[in-house]
């Protein structure tokens, strides 16, 4: 076990206190003046009015995608609950009577308290039905049950349910208009 | 027995064994779609191709149609064979819809498995796939998706050879070949579930199981069907204490690979609202009903107490009942009442279904013969009883009336008897315990515990152990193995049977010793 180093013996100027305080003030004032004249190097941002741009690969809250005809892309294949290491995806599958897709998720819940944001569900999905590209990181609620994101919530996630996902935010982030995050998934004349 | 050589492994197999089975014995798996051990050989999928050595040199041929004969040598893993398999897979998948995300077969599909093992090619398809009819409702239990079919004709042969209904047919030619029914017809037989089982792909799927659960979540436990006295061997597929489906398990001596549709429902009531979950005395739930029951048996006196053996209960439970009677109330009468419970449809056909809808009638008969002096329905009606202890059988329906002043019922589900009973004790369902049943061939077969008992139920033999303890002398039947050994020692026809050695396919009881008939006087010849 390493012994603690003996305390450094202070020089006279250090032990007289005032000199060191002045040195500190000079440093602080220097930054203040530099920042006043060169505001671009500001490190602090005015959250939540201003947000840091997230990298493209940032994994935020999950959303569920829709087909061009408005139906859910998800067919409840159960690949994502199977691969999910946190076992936090809960799907009840059912028969879609008038839909050629035949199968759909009656309920699709993700318990965000248990999710570890690994993104395996996105990787596993054979239908590109689930993505984590919302860049939403404020995943919070007042109750545990509200931390379970439901199908409806995840479908509408980019439609203003979360204020930070609103139109202004989308414009600022260079994202697709209402209803779609990415231009490539926003088909012409879609009902939504 | 001819000696054959498979990939240089020499093995002796019974004459006439086809090479898929022979290879299995030698430890090689030959992929196949159309071959099924209990159907005729069609030889149309070509997946089982292997190389046979002939005087002309190696020749490609299908293993399913190659019968073992002395000196036959095949190779199942040569480069040529592998190339053929790959090509066969490519042909089969040319028009395949790749519905895997919505296909119930996914996870137990031979197209998926063999593609991973033998396919793995890059698609060369540039033309549009041939579309066929999807999601057709062709029977009470079956949904047909013709696009997923690989034209193996197993279902066609099942209809022709097993049920004799000849309902499914392959129609049209070439890549327009499509499996289907004759216009305006539906599957009418009672063995539809087997079609979904034998279809190697997801073309025929079971409506009952449709979209219920992905198969890779399910655990399988060997069991037997309690739907009738045939006791087809089954696999119970369950996840986290919930039973999702019951499939037939191969036993060539009992049910081959099949089971009937009503039988598939035999475990559907495991978690039903009808289950008896708590012991009740006079309609009030109590923590422990055994003391009360023992007190009432003592109050009634051995002479006016009756016990009814259960043809729906396990061999162990019936043994426990007899031991309780023997040790604690030697004067009490024991009965066994033939018949079916409320709601049972006593249908019988030449195939598997039997009109006796009890899984253990033969077991009850066996123990009754050993115990002696067991009364039947008439004796029970005539007996003047103040308390009748009933093991699992729905005695009210069978007798058409209440034979005693009070009934104590050990049972799994609510039924007319449970409704009338003053004491009700919950017992475990067949999938919730280890036990044995004797089918109508007198084959002793094991069931195994798949899930935990619901509510406060315990296996009936353990419940009877507790009753015995409350009465003064416990029968020692808390463990199925020890109980079985005790039976095997005591009952002459069970001598030599061993619980563990019953294995997956069960063992027959020793034949009854027929009293030797006096020789008839021989008539003068000619
Ligand atoms: S990100 Fe990972 S932990 Fe979260 S739901 Fe998806 S698979 Fe599960
Ligand atoms: S993997 Fe995709 S299609 Fe499958 S259940 Fe999950 S979200 Fe739905
Ligand atoms: S039959 Fe097999 S390969 Fe075809 S869709 Fe179903 S699971 Fe997939
Ligand atoms: S439906 Fe299934 S069993 Fe029938 S021919 Fe097609 S693949 Fe074979
Ligand atoms: S299994 Fe031999 S040809 Fe199909």
């Amino acid at each position: 076990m390493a012994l603690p180093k003996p305390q450094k013996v202070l020089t006279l100027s250090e032990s007289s206190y005032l000199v060191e305080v002045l040195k500190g003030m000079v440093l602080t004032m220097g930054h203040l003046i530099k920042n006043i004249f060169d505001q671009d190097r500001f490190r602090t941002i005015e959250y939540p009015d201003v947000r840091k741009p997230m990298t493209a690969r940032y994994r935020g809250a999950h959303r569920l995608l829709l087909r061009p005809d408005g139906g859910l892309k998800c067919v409840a294949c159960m690949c994502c609950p199977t691969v999910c290491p946190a076992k936090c995806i809960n799907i009840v599958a059912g028969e879609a009577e008038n839909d050629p897709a035949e199968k759909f998720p009656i309920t699709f819940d993700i318990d965000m308290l248990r999710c570890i944001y690994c993104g395996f569900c996105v990787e596993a999905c054979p239908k590109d039905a689930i993505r984590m590209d919302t860049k939403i990181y404020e995943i919070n609620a007042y109750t545990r049950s509200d931390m379970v994101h439901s199908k409806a919530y995840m479908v509408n996630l980019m439609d203003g349910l979360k204020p930070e996902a609103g139109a202004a935010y989308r414009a600022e982030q260079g994202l697709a208009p209402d209803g779609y995050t990415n231009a490539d998934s926003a088909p012409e004349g879609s009902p939504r | 027995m001819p000696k054959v050589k498979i990939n240089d492994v020499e093995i002796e197999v019974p004459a006439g064994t086809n090479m898929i089975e022979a290879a299995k014995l030698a430890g090689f798996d030959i992929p196949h779609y159309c071959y099924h051990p209990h159907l005729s050989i069609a030889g149309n999928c070509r997946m089982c191709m292997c190389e046979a050595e002939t005087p002309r040199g190696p020749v490609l041929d299908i293993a399913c149609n190659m019968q073992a004969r002395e000196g036959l040598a095949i190779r199942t893993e040569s480069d040529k064979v592998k190339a053929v398999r790959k090509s066969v897979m490519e042909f089969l998948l040319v028009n395949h819809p790749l519905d895997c995300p919505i296909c119930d077969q996914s996870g137990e599909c031979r197209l998926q498995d063999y593609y991973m093992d033998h396919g793995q090619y890059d698609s060369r398809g540039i033309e549009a796939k041939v579309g066929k009819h999807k999601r057709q409702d062709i029977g009470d239990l079956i949904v047909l998706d013709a696009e997923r079919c690989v034209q193996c004709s197993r279902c066609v042969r099942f209809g022709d050879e097993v049920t004799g209904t000849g309902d499914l047919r392959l129609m049209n030619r070439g890549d327009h070949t499509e499996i289907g029914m004759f216009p305006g017809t539906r599957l009418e037989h009672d063995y539809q579930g087997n079609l979904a089982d034998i279809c190697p792909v997801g073309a025929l799927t079971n409506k009952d199981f449709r979209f219920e659960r992905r198969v890779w979540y399910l655990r399988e436990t060997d069991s037997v069907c309690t739907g009738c006295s045939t006791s087809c061997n089954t696999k119970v597929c369950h996840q986290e204490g919930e039973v999702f489906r019951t499939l037939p398990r191969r036993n060539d001596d009992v049910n081959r690979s099949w089971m009937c549709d009503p039988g598939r429902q035999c475990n559907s009531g495991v978690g039903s609202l009808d289950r008896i979950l708590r012991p009740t005395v006079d309609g009030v739930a109590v923590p422990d009903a055994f003391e009360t029951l023992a007190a009432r048996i003592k109050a009634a006196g051995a002479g006016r107490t009756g016990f009814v053996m259960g043809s729906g209960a396990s061999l162990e439970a019936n043994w426990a009942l007899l031991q309780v009677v023997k040790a604690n109330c030697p004067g009490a009468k024991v009965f066994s009442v033939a018949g079916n419970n409320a709601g049972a449809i006593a249908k019988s056909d030449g195939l598997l279904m039997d009109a006796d809808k009890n899984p253990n009638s033969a077991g009850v008969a066996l123990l009754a013969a050993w115990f002696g002096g067991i009364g039947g329905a008439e004796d029970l009606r005539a007996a003047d009883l103040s308390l009748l202890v009933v093991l699992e059988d729905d005695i009210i329906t069978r007798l058409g009336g209440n034979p005693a002043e009070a009934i104590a019922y050990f049972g799994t589900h609510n039924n007319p008897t449970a409704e009338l009973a003053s004491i009700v004790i919950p017992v475990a369902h067949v999938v919730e315990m280890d036990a044995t049943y004797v089918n109508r061939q007198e084959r002793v077969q094991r069931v195994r515990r798949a899930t935990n008992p619901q509510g406060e139920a315990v296996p009936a033999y353990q419940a009877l152990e507790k009753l015995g303890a409350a009465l003064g002398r416990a029968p020692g039947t808390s463990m199925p193995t020890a109980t079985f050994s005790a039976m095997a020692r005591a009952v002459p026809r069970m001598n030599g049977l061993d619980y563990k050695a019953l294995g997956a396919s069960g063992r027959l009881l020793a034949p009854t010793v027929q009293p030797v008939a006096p020789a008839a006087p021989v008539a003068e010849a000619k």
Side-chain angles (χ1 to χ4, degrees):
Chain A
M1 210 175 82
L3 291 171
K5 276 193 190 142
Q7 218 171 16
K8 190 186 164 200
V9 181
L10 296 180
T11 61
L12 183 69
S13 79
E14 277 167 354
S15 58
S16 65
Y17 177 64
L18 204 63
V19 182
E20 289 300 304
V21 171
L22 282 173
K23 269 164 116 180
M25 295 281 275
V26 167
L27 190 70
T28 309
M29 293 310 280
H31 279 298
L32 179 70
I33 291 162
K34 266 193 209 158
N35 282 346
I36 286 172
F37 290 104
D38 183 6
Q39 294 204 348
D40 282 353
R41 47 186 301 280
F42 239 49
R43 285 298 161 96
T44 318
I45 56 167
E46 300 265 335
Y47 177 84
D49 295 341
V50 181
R51 284 154 190 280
K52 273 175 94 170
M54 290 288 120
T55 61
R57 34 173 270 186
Y58 180 79
R59 292 193 288 265
H62 308 70
R63 69 182 176 114
L64 291 178
L65 282 81
L66 298 176
R67 299 191 307 238
D69 68 3
L72 268 184
K73 274 191 178 178
C74 173
V75 294
C77 72
M78 302 291 168
C79 285
C80 56
T82 302
V83 78
C84 176
K87 295 275 165 282
C88 62
I89 307 180
N90 230 317
I91 298 176
V92 177
E95 174 128 23
E97 291 298 340
N98 301 313
D99 188 342
E102 295 187 26
K103 199 179 175 189
F104 82 111
I106 299 173
T107 63
F108 190 128
D109 294 332
I110 304 185
D111 185 347
M112 302 306 279
L113 286 172
R114 291 174 69 180
C115 174
I116 56 166
Y117 301 92
C118 62
F120 285 1
C121 48
V122 180
E123 300 275 319
C125 183
K127 294 280 170 188
D128 185 20
I130 188 166
R131 289 197 196 162
M132 298 177 76
D133 58 3
T134 58
K135 308 202 169 50
I136 293 174
Y137 46 81
E138 296 104 333
I139 296 158
N140 41 34
Y142 288 107
T143 61
R144 277 165 192 271
S145 56
D146 282 353
M147 286 299 285
V148 177
H149 286 187
S150 67
K151 182 172 83 177
Y153 183 90
M154 287 186 284
V155 168
N156 295 321
L157 196 53
M158 305 311 286
D159 270 344
L161 256 178
K162 282 261 177 189
E164 61 271 28
Y169 174 60
R170 260 195 290 275
E172 184 188 317
Q173 299 293 315
L175 297 174
D178 253 19
Y180 298 96
T181 16
N182 282 338
D184 60 6
S185 66
E188 306 283 294
S190 97
R192 280 179 31 86
Chain B
M1 294 212 292
K3 226 185 235 150
V4 295
K5 211 169 168 196
I6 297 155
N7 296 341
D8 297 327
V9 176
E10 253 189 70
I11 182 166
E12 226 175 290
V13 293
T17 314
N18 70 61
M19 292 317 277
I20 291 185
E21 297 291 343
K24 206 184 282 171
L25 292 175
F28 298 100
D29 192 24
I30 300 183
H32 58 276
Y33 292 98
C34 69
Y35 168 70
H36 187 283
H38 294 124
L39 295 173
S40 61
I41 304 289
N44 57 20
C45 75
R46 315 314 278 182
M47 191 63 193
C48 64
M49 204 73 93
C50 58
E51 249 180 321
E53 264 147 47
T54 68
R56 291 174 286 146
V59 167
L60 282 168
D61 202 354
I62 51 174
C64 63
N65 198 30
M66 218 187 280
Q67 287 175 357
R69 62 189 142 73
E70 192 58 47
L72 181 60
I74 63 167
R75 295 200 168 271
T76 69
E77 303 297 330
S78 66
D79 290 343
K80 217 169 176 177
V81 171
K82 283 184 184 158
V84 170
R85 282 180 192 159
K86 201 165 178 164
S87 313
V88 170
M89 283 307 298
E90 200 170 354
F91 270 122
L92 287 177
L93 286 166
V94 156
N95 288 312
H96 196 78
L98 295 182
D99 278 341
C100 307
I102 58 163
C103 180
D104 259 348
Q105 191 79 7
S106 206
E108 54 182 8
C109 174
R110 292 198 184 207
L111 275 175
Q112 287 183 332
D113 295 351
Y114 293 158
Y115 178 79
M116 296 315 286
D117 292 346
H118 311 290
Q120 303 260 19
Y121 57 84
D122 291 324
S123 172
R124 289 185 281 169
I126 42 167
E127 270 147 54
K129 297 194 174 196
V130 179
K132 288 169 193 169
H133 297 92
K134 295 183 79 73
R135 189 155 49 168
Q136 305 169 57
D137 176 4
I138 59 163
D140 292 342
L141 214 56
I142 296 292
V143 180
L144 166 64
D145 187 315
E147 269 186 1
R148 296 180 195 155
C149 169
V150 293
Q151 286 89 39
C152 72
S153 86
R154 273 183 176 188
C155 57
V156 176
R157 281 173 285 147
F158 182 84
D160 289 351
E161 296 162 16
V162 180
T163 57
T165 44
D167 22 37
L168 280 149
R169 280 288 172 270
L170 285 163
M171 309 173 197
N172 299 337
R173 309 195 121 191
D175 63 0
H176 289 273
T177 310
E178 179 168 345
I179 188 77
M181 306 276 296
F182 292 110
T185 61
R186 275 170 76 76
L187 295 171
E188 301 289 353
H189 56 76
D190 288 313
Y191 294 87
Q192 297 176 18
N194 298 305
L195 292 168
D197 297 341
I198 57 171
C199 181
V201 296
L204 296 162
T205 50
N206 193 319
K207 273 188 202 168
D208 260 356
F209 184 62
R210 194 165 159 87
F211 304 158
E212 281 292 315
R213 195 64 30 147
R214 280 311 204 178
V215 296
W216 55 79
Y217 289 127
L218 300 177
R219 299 277 165 278
E220 288 179 353
T221 306
D222 287 0
S223 189
V224 303
C225 174
T226 49
C228 81
S229 65
T230 306
S231 291
C232 297
N233 290 207
T234 61
K235 285 183 283 196
V236 177
C237 304
H238 53 96
Q239 186 201 1
E240 289 166 6
E242 206 178 326
V243 176
F244 286 94
R245 61 175 181 181
T246 304
L247 296 179
R249 174 164 56 87
R250 181 174 174 183
N251 186 338
D252 291 1
D253 299 322
V254 180
N255 55 320
R256 291 185 291 163
S257 298
W258 324 125
M259 77 184 289
C260 72
D261 293 340
R264 284 172 200 264
Q265 300 296 333
C266 70
N267 298 324
S268 61
V270 176
S272 87
L273 294 175
D274 258 359
R275 273 303 285 277
I276 301 170
L277 298 175
R278 310 202 56 194
T280 54
V281 173
D282 302 324
V284 181
V286 293
D288 177 29
F290 297 109
E291 293 295 337
T292 324
L293 178 53
R296 291 198 185 173
I297 290 175
K298 280 178 189 153
R304 296 198 66 218
T305 308
F307 291 82
V308 184
M309 300 175 75
S311 49
S314 64
L315 203 54
E316 284 76 5
N318 282 295
W319 170 261
L321 184 86
L322 295 179
Q323 294 303 314
V324 167
V325 174
K326 208 166 148 191
N328 298 292
C329 353
K333 304 179 192 75
V334 184
F335 305 91
S336 142
V337 182
N340 290 327
N341 294 352
I345 299 160
K347 192 170 173 182
S348 131
D349 55 19
L351 227 47
L352 292 171
M353 279 200 267
D354 191 57
D356 177 5
K357 294 291 165 201
N358 302 295
N360 204 17
S361 299
V364 167
L366 166 77
L367 292 183
W370 166 79
F371 194 77
I374 305 276
E378 282 315 311
D379 303 313
L380 183 50
R381 280 200 198 94
D384 170 36
L385 296 173
S386 92
L387 180 63
L388 188 64
V389 181
V390 181
L391 181 59
E392 298 202 28
D393 281 356
D394 178 9
I395 208 77
I396 299 293
T397 306
R398 294 189 185 193
L399 289 176
N402 187 354
E405 284 160 27
I407 289 181
Y409 182 62
F410 287 72
T412 53
H413 289 79
N414 276 318
N415 57 24
T417 309
E419 273 158 31
L420 263 177
S422 51
I423 297 184
V424 178
I425 291 171
V427 298
H429 191 275
V430 60
V431 300
E432 298 167 348
M433 61 176 178
D434 285 287
T436 54
Y437 288 79
V438 186
N439 78 353
R440 66 175 145 118
Q441 306 171 318
E442 304 203 311
R443 180 178 294 273
V444 189
Q445 307 192 99
R446 269 180 74 175
V447 297
R448 289 166 175 79
R449 181 184 187 131
T451 66
N452 286 336
Q454 306 255 330
E456 286 163 39
V458 291
Y461 46 83
Q462 287 174 1
L464 286 158
E465 165 92 4
K466 289 187 191 164
L467 174 63
L471 279 166
R473 285 189 203 88
T477 54
S478 56
M479 295 304 293
T481 34
T483 312
F484 192 87
S485 315
M487 267 188 292
R489 275 193 304 274
V491 183
R493 290 190 66 198
M494 288 179 70
N495 286 167
L497 288 184
D498 176 52
Y499 189 72
K500 290 268 152 60
L502 292 179
S505 50
R507 291 273 183 285
L508 286 174
L509 289 175
T512 16
V513 186
Q514 300 286 351
V516 184
V522 182
E524 201 58 46
K526 283 174 204 150

